[in-house]
């Protein structure tokens, strides 16, 4: 019998005594009591025995709630929040909350931006917030991305593709860890699905895959490592699925050995394709890698994309081996298996199981 989300979260909490406030972060009622108002989880980052931090949306917008096994992390969070006027609140001896811009790992980036643009927080609107990773703001006709780490070669890859005439929207580096991209279009293929536009995205992807970037070299993908990490994430959340997830990961490690490499987007999905209703732009090359072309095609399908993208890809001269696409789609499904938990879906155990089952079926 499938566990409910409440039961699975309770079991997870019982297995992690170093994070006694894990239930406060995961449970809607306990979190509402702690915060003083109801909130909805938008993103969870959980490292067993170390930390749990969640981006939640309440009546006053996005905030984080974080609990750490090491108390010094709370003091560091408080100090960093103070320099961006964060207004954090201590909820218990091990748990704290504050606004998105006072995130412990993002606050140093925000501080430097505020030194140049003091009105930034007043004039901007939060679009997305991934705790300890990135904050996306709409500001003065641009999308401003603030990231805990640098994007490596991603910005340069996008810039070179755009200069080569490809429909790519490149970001401009504002400072280390912050990039700005002009606001373009009125949606993406996840909110405005359209088969013809998806075909055009496929043609754009074929051009990207045929590009030569000279000295710019994205890191090479390691599919076996990706599969192993994805299986480990499933095993932590639902231990009864560990054996199945491990079998899938081992099968993928044996299958995904194609030596041919292209410049790949690395994380292609319908929401990475902007549209104005007539044309498309590919965005977010932060995870650009050197990888087989089928990585992007399989990733797009696993994220809800359709065959239309592959049709457009082939019509534009791209080569797509159906067996390779299925294998990379299976890897993407395995990687996405933990996403329902990370986004706080009310039925995450069933959805995690279904994602694993999809990966298994693609490998039959």
């Amino acid at each position: 019998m499938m566990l409910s989300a409440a039961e699975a979260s309770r079991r997870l909490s019982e297995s992690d005594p170093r994070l006694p406030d894990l239930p406060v972060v995961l449970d809607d009622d306990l979190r509402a009591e702690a915060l003083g108002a109801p909130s909805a989880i938008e993103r969870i980052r959980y490292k067993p025995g170390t930390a749990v931090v969640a981006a939640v949306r309440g009546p006053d917008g996005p905030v984080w709630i974080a609990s750490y096994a090491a108390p010094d992390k709370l003091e560091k969070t408080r100090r960093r929040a103070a320099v961006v006027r964060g207004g954090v609140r201590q909820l218990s001896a091990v748990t704290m909350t504050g606004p998105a811009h006072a995130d412990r790992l993002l606050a140093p980036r925000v501080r430097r931006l505020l030194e140049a643009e003091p009105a930034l927080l007043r004039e901007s609107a939060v679009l997305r917030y991934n705790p300890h990773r990135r904050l996306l703001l709409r500001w003065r006709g641009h999308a401003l991305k603030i990231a805990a780490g640098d994007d490596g070669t991603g910005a340069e890859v996008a810039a070179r593709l755009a200069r080569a005439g490809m429909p790519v929207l490149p970001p401009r580096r504002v400072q280390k860890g912050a990039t700005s991209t002009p606001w373009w279009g009125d949606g993406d293929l996840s909110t405005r699905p359209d088969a013809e536009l998806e075909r055009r995205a496929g043609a754009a992807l074929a051009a990207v895959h045929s590009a030569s970037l000279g000295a710019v070299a994205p890191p090479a993908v390691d599919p076996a490592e990706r599969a192993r990490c994805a299986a480990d994430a499933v095993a932590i959340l639902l231990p009864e699925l560990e054996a199945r997830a491990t079998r899938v990961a081992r099968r993928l490690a044996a299958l995904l050995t194609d030596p041919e490499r292209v410049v790949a987007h690395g994380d292609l999905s319908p929401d990475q394709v902007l549209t104005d209703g007539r044309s498309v732009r590919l965005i977010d090359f932060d995870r650009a890698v050197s990888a087989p072309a089928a990585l992007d095609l399989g990733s797009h399908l696993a994220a809800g994309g359709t065959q239309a993208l592959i049709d457009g890809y082939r019509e534009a001269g791209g080569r797509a081996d159906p067996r390779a696409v299925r294998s990379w789609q299976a890897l993407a499904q395995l990687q996405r298996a933990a996403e329902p938990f990370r986004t706080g879906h009310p039925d995450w155990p069933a959805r995690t199981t279904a994602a694993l089952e999809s990966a298994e079926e693609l490998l039959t």
Side-chain angles (χ1 to χ4, degrees):
M1 181 176 177
M2 185 70 63
L3 287 174
S4 69
E7 292 168 331
S9 297
R10 188 181 309 115
R11 186 178 65 180
L12 198 64
S13 299
E14 291 170 351
S15 69
D16 198 346
R18 285 180 55 79
L19 291 174
D21 276 3
L22 185 58
V24 175
V25 177
L26 299 182
D27 184 84
D28 288 346
D29 292 334
L30 293 176
R31 192 173 62 254
E33 182 180 350
L35 295 177
S39 64
I41 289 174
E42 295 192 338
R43 191 73 184 177
I44 296 171
R45 306 201 70 86
Y46 172 50
K47 187 174 182 181
T50 302
V52 59
V53 55
V56 300
R57 187 169 290 273
D60 298 323
V63 302
W64 49 263
I65 177 171
S67 189
Y68 300 102
D72 65 300
K73 292 291 194 300
L74 293 180
E75 182 54 34
K76 184 178 289 187
T77 299
R78 192 190 310 280
R79 290 198 308 269
R80 290 186 173 181
V83 300
V84 293
R85 303 181 293 279
V88 298
R89 283 195 295 136
Q90 188 110 14
L91 302 177
S92 76
V94 294
T95 304
M96 185 176 282
T97 186
H101 69 273
D103 180 295
R104 179 171 62 85
L105 298 186
L106 298 178
R109 312 289 203 204
V110 174
R111 176 181 60 80
R112 286 193 289 273
L113 287 168
L114 287 173
E115 289 172 353
E117 297 288 351
L120 172 65
L121 297 179
R122 293 196 308 273
E123 296 178 351
S124 62
V126 176
L127 298 175
R128 286 196 298 274
Y129 169 45
N130 187 342
H132 286 9
R133 287 296 183 272
R134 65 190 64 87
L135 177 63
L136 184 65
L137 306 175
R138 182 168 184 170
W139 182 57
R140 295 181 180 175
H142 287 72
L144 178 65
K145 182 186 294 184
I146 305 167
D150 211 351
D151 71 348
T153 59
E156 182 60 23
V157 167
R160 293 200 176 208
L161 292 172
R163 287 198 295 269
M166 298 177 197
V168 169
L169 207 59
R172 176 181 65 86
R173 191 177 191 269
V174 178
Q175 64 173 38
K176 183 178 181 181
T179 57
S180 174
T181 307
W183 196 264
W184 187 89
D186 53 10
D188 57 55
L189 291 186
S190 70
T191 58
R192 295 188 58 184
D194 181 286
E196 178 54 33
L197 291 172
E198 200 169 356
R199 293 171 80 96
R200 293 181 188 180
L205 184 65
V208 168
H209 285 176
S210 67
S212 175
L213 299 182
V216 177
V221 72
D222 184 343
E225 177 65 10
R226 287 193 176 194
R228 184 191 64 77
C229 290
D232 287 348
V234 171
I236 288 169
L237 299 176
L238 295 172
E240 61 270 29
L241 298 182
E242 179 176 9
R244 290 170 59 186
T246 300
R247 281 196 297 271
V248 169
R250 289 173 177 167
R251 180 85 186 280
L252 287 167
L255 286 173
L256 300 176
T257 57
D258 186 353
E260 291 191 26
R261 302 274 170 145
V262 300
V263 176
H265 180 281
D267 188 33
L268 191 68
S269 56
D271 64 354
Q272 304 293 313
V273 184
L274 299 182
T275 177
D276 62 0
R278 299 178 302 278
S279 56
V280 297
R281 296 289 187 275
L282 305 183
I283 61 169
D284 286 351
F285 280 77
D286 304 29
R287 298 184 185 180
V289 287
S290 172
L295 179 154
D296 283 340
L297 303 174
S299 173
H300 182 75
L301 292 175
T306 74
Q307 181 67 29
L309 180 129
I310 296 179
D311 293 341
Y313 183 82
R314 287 181 171 139
E315 290 163 5
R319 292 182 299 156
D321 178 353
R323 291 171 298 180
V325 172
R326 284 177 65 88
S327 296
W328 282 99
Q329 184 181 354
L331 173 55
Q333 287 285 12
L334 181 61
Q335 290 181 284
R336 295 179 67 83
E339 284 301 292
F341 169 79
R342 292 171 181 152
T343 56
H345 195 281
D347 195 23
W348 68 261
R351 286 180 172 250
T352 293
T353 303
L356 178 58
E357 289 172 350
S358 293
E360 291 171 329
E361 290 170 4
L362 286 162
L363 294 178
T364 59

